[in-house]
Amino acid sequence: MLEEIYKETANHMSKSIEAMKKEFLTLRTGKVTTAVVDHVKVDYYGTPTPLNQVASVTSLDATTIAISPWEKNMLPEIERAIQQANIGVNPNNDGDFIKLFFPPMTTEQREQIVKQAKAMAEKAKVAVRNVRKDANNKIKRLEKEKAISEDESKKAQEKIQKLTDEHIAKIDAALKSKEADILKV
């Protein structure tokens, strides 16, 4: 029973870290990535559709993204969706494809993005702590039902705390790495 709780807890905590890392991809660093437009939804014949499902999105260099729609009549819709997404640049439509030119980031922008990264990391830590709380509640319930002894309960809660500390350390390491990436000029 306890092994199942440990396994489930570690799994949920790891998922929290993965979600944070996915969110980190949407943050702009010194080099622009196509992940910046991942959350952009285009009105495709009345259905909000992810941009990468109606067009080819490629990173040409450190500051430029090119978007080539599979259907030419989608250009205005894609352009409108990018403007509404407010990603910090205006789309340049040349009739065949759209280019996004990202200017070099200022120090203030970098600091603002670092704040966003810290907020994302804090959200992940809260998620990990909530998983810990759920696991501890399950352990206490087992103790209350006399399925495990008081000593086993204490040991199990200590093991859950150890798992929590490990995952919080992983979050801090990922944040530190992302922070360095954002601040690197």
Side-chain angles (χ1 to χ4, degrees):
M1 256 185 287
L2 289 176
E3 285 304 316
E4 198 175 294
I5 291 174
Y6 300 146
K7 201 174 183 180
E8 192 178 306
T9 301
N11 188 18
H12 285 309
M13 288 180 176
S14 294
K15 283 181 181 175
S16 297
I17 293 173
E18 289 307 310
M20 177 195 67
K21 286 181 178 176
K22 259 187 186 164
E23 271 191 289
F24 275 178
L25 290 176
T26 64
L27 295 176
R28 185 168 167 215
T29 58
K31 190 179 102 183
V32 73
T33 65
T34 59
V36 172
V37 294
D38 277 356
H39 68 283
V40 175
K41 300 268 193 259
V42 179
D43 185 18
Y44 185 68
Y45 299 108
T47 307
T49 309
L51 178 61
N52 61 4
Q53 291 182 14
V54 296
S56 168
V57 181
T58 53
S59 181
L60 299 179
D61 56 41
T63 60
T64 312
I65 290 180
I67 301 165
S68 179
W70 294 318
E71 297 175 28
K72 294 289 180 227
N73 63 335
M74 288 303 297
L75 275 170
E77 284 298 330
I78 292 172
E79 196 173 0
R80 191 176 308 113
I82 291 169
Q83 286 170 338
Q84 288 173 345
N86 195 16
I87 56 174
V89 292
N90 283 321
N92 294 331
N93 182 347
D94 74 354
D96 288 325
F97 52 93
I98 294 173
K99 283 189 179 176
L100 304 175
F101 297 103
F102 291 84
M105 291 194 309
T106 64
T107 307
E108 294 84 35
Q109 285 174 317
R110 291 177 190 275
E111 288 168 359
Q112 200 61 42
I113 292 172
V114 165
K115 281 183 186 175
Q116 289 177 333
K118 286 180 179 177
M120 290 173 181
E122 194 52 46
K123 199 167 96 177
K125 286 180 183 179
V126 169
V128 166
R129 289 182 192 121
N130 285 338
V131 172
R132 173 189 63 191
K133 182 181 168 197
D134 291 344
N136 283 339
N137 287 343
K138 287 178 186 175
I139 291 167
K140 287 174 186 171
R141 199 173 313 116
L142 287 175
E143 182 187 350
K144 195 175 181 183
E145 294 168 357
K146 304 282 187 225
I148 60 174
S149 70
E150 193 176 325
D151 287 347
E152 287 174 317
S153 172
K154 274 196 169 61
K155 282 180 187 170
Q157 287 180 45
E158 285 170 12
K159 189 166 181 173
I160 295 294
Q161 183 58 48
K162 192 175 175 189
L163 273 173
T164 303
D165 294 342
E166 287 170 12
H167 284 82
I168 296 282
K170 286 179 187 176
I171 290 171
D172 288 336
L175 174 63
K176 193 172 185 174
S177 167
K178 189 64 176 182
E179 212 173 318
D181 205 16
I182 292 167
L183 295 174
K184 185 174 66 182
V185 179

